[in-house]
Amino acid sequence: MGFPQVEAFRGGENVIRVVGHRGARGILPENSMLGFEFSLSIGVPLLEFDVVLTADNVPVITHNHRLHGPTFRDTNGQFLTGEEPKVSSLTYEQIRQFDIGRLDGQSAYGRRFPDQAQLDGVQAPRLLDLLNLIDDPKYGDAYLMLELKSDPDLAHDAPSRENFVGRVLQEVRDKGLSSRAVLHSFDWNLLEECQRQAPDMPSSYLTQLPENADDVGEDSSKAVCPDFRGRRDEIPSLVKQAGGSLWCPYYADVTAENVALAKELGLCVAVWTVNEHEEIGRMIDLRVDAIVSDYPGRVQRQLSDLGMGWHVTHQ
Ligand code: MG
């Protein structure tokens, strides 16, 4: 029935899926192999992460289009200051000279994650590194929520967008992992391109209403996400019409009505980024399919306390 990777994100009776956001950003460096390995090690095999293309056409796992000052240190161990270089202007070899193992505690961004472990010698991984990891038979239940980060500067540059999607798909296909990933983006036009190039893979539509505040210290999605002001409860229908399999709203944008509509339409509802106890509880009450969190263990704990699980058990 449908795409196996969509079913991996779908909840069930007494089951809500847990997705490790950028691995497990609350406790380990974001978008690092350590974070992904940790999430897998605690039985959270659903991994969310972000992909950007380098100057030499390598899909690299990092969130912003520019090297993020509060998380990237240069070879002198200094956090980047001033104008951050664009990922697309550097080769992967240049990017891996930077260390992403620590957070700048003086920055507004760094202050958001006071429990994150601080490490040295950690590099931004390539998409290929993560594909190699989950290709290990012991991680046969791992599925990827592969976010394609659309560069607002290239919104009208069709060849570069086609190339970006093409390179990502090439890596996934070369490893034979097309059935283990959903293609996830805020940029609905880019998802249309994904569907054109990969009709065999499901699309996951991210949304965020403009009235909600952006997360501090990171690229905003609002530059590329369609503006759904005043249409909150219609969004699931629009996702369905666009050919989506998953709807991934900002957690503050979900209501009992739009979750019910999404489920009626057969969409899988995965909310992000849900980190606080009360918010996690509200999402559980709404019976979303999946909760994307920087603290996957925290979501497990709340589900466990309620006698709920995060795996569908096959009888
Ligand atoms: Mg993301």
Side-chain angles (χ1 to χ4, degrees):
M1 178 186 80
F3 296 106
Q5 63 271 59
V6 174
E7 298 316 307
F9 288 90
R10 201 183 302 278
E13 202 184 341
N14 271 328
V15 170
I16 290 181
R17 307 292 190 161
V18 182
V19 183
H21 186 243
R22 305 187 201 174
R25 175 172 60 166
I27 59 169
L28 283 165
E30 67 182 74
N31 282 324
S32 69
M33 293 305 287
L34 284 166
F36 301 132
E37 284 161 2
F38 168 79
S39 188
L40 293 169
S41 78
I42 62 167
V44 172
L46 307 180
L47 306 175
E48 189 276 350
F49 59 97
D50 312 285
V51 174
V52 179
L53 208 57
T54 66
D56 54 341
N57 247 351
V58 177
V60 65
I61 301 182
T62 193
H63 183 269
N64 288 9
H65 289 289
R66 293 176 179 276
L67 300 190
H68 190 210
T71 57
F72 277 75
R73 281 176 298 152
D74 63 21
T75 48
N76 297 318
Q78 302 300 309
F79 287 104
L80 300 187
T81 52
E83 199 189 6
E84 300 162 332
K86 279 196 93 165
V87 173
S88 59
S89 72
L90 302 170
T91 63
Y92 180 64
E93 191 52 37
Q94 289 173 310
I95 290 168
R96 65 187 296 280
Q97 304 305 315
F98 294 89
D99 194 324
I100 61 157
R102 297 188 186 211
L103 271 173
D104 180 0
Q106 306 301 312
S107 67
Y109 185 75
R111 285 194 289 274
R112 287 174 53 200
F113 304 102
D115 301 329
Q116 193 190 92
Q118 301 295 280
L119 296 116
D120 295 317
V122 182
Q123 277 89 37
R126 297 167 301 174
L127 170 60
L128 183 59
D129 297 316
L130 180 55
L131 294 172
N132 285 335
L133 178 71
I134 69 148
D135 197 27
D136 186 319
K138 76 176 172 193
Y139 298 130
D141 62 347
Y143 289 89
L144 305 178
M145 187 173 256
L146 190 169
E147 183 173 352
L148 294 106
K149 299 306 278 192
S150 176
D151 185 343
D153 295 346
L154 300 174
H156 303 292
D157 184 341
S160 78
R161 294 159 64 85
E162 282 169 28
N163 176 57
F164 177 35
V165 171
R167 280 293 296 124
V168 167
L169 291 173
Q170 184 185 7
E171 302 247 307
V172 174
R173 286 175 172 149
D174 283 354
K175 293 297 297 183
L177 294 171
S178 307
S179 63
R180 304 270 297 279
V182 300
L183 301 170
H184 183 65
S185 190
F186 280 105
D187 183 339
W188 288 36
N189 294 324
L190 198 72
L191 288 172
E192 198 179 316
E193 178 62 24
C194 289
Q195 287 174 21
R196 199 181 64 75
Q197 292 194 35
D200 59 324
M201 291 180 73
S203 300
S204 173
Y205 283 72
L206 280 156
T207 61
Q208 182 176 20
L209 291 173
E211 47 266 46
N212 286 315
D214 285 321
D215 288 332
V216 173
E218 50 192 300
D219 279 0
S220 167
S221 61
K222 292 174 187 167
V224 295
C225 183
D227 185 343
F228 295 115
R229 199 182 312 253
R231 307 178 73 185
R232 187 181 61 191
D233 290 338
E234 287 171 55
I235 300 173
S237 304
L238 300 169
V239 171
K240 185 71 183 176
Q241 281 163 25
S245 298
L246 278 85
W247 173 40
C248 299
Y250 180 53
Y251 72 88
D253 298 343
V254 293
T255 62
E257 290 71 29
N258 59 29
V259 171
L261 173 59
K263 289 194 170 189
E264 218 170 276
L265 294 167
L267 297 171
C268 184
V269 181
V271 289
W272 57 275
T273 304
V274 198
N275 290 339
E276 303 306 325
H277 189 271
E278 203 180 307
E279 295 159 355
I280 294 168
R282 191 170 83 84
M283 295 302 108
I284 294 172
D285 288 345
L286 283 170
R287 289 294 189 272
V288 296
D289 289 287
I291 295 176
V292 183
S293 179
D294 291 318
Y295 300 89
R298 198 179 280 177
V299 184
Q300 283 180 315
R301 172 65 197 276
Q302 252 171 282
L303 289 168
S304 177
D305 286 355
L306 291 167
M308 297 178 70
W310 46 95
H311 296 297
V312 171
T313 47
H314 301 284
Q315 310 281 333

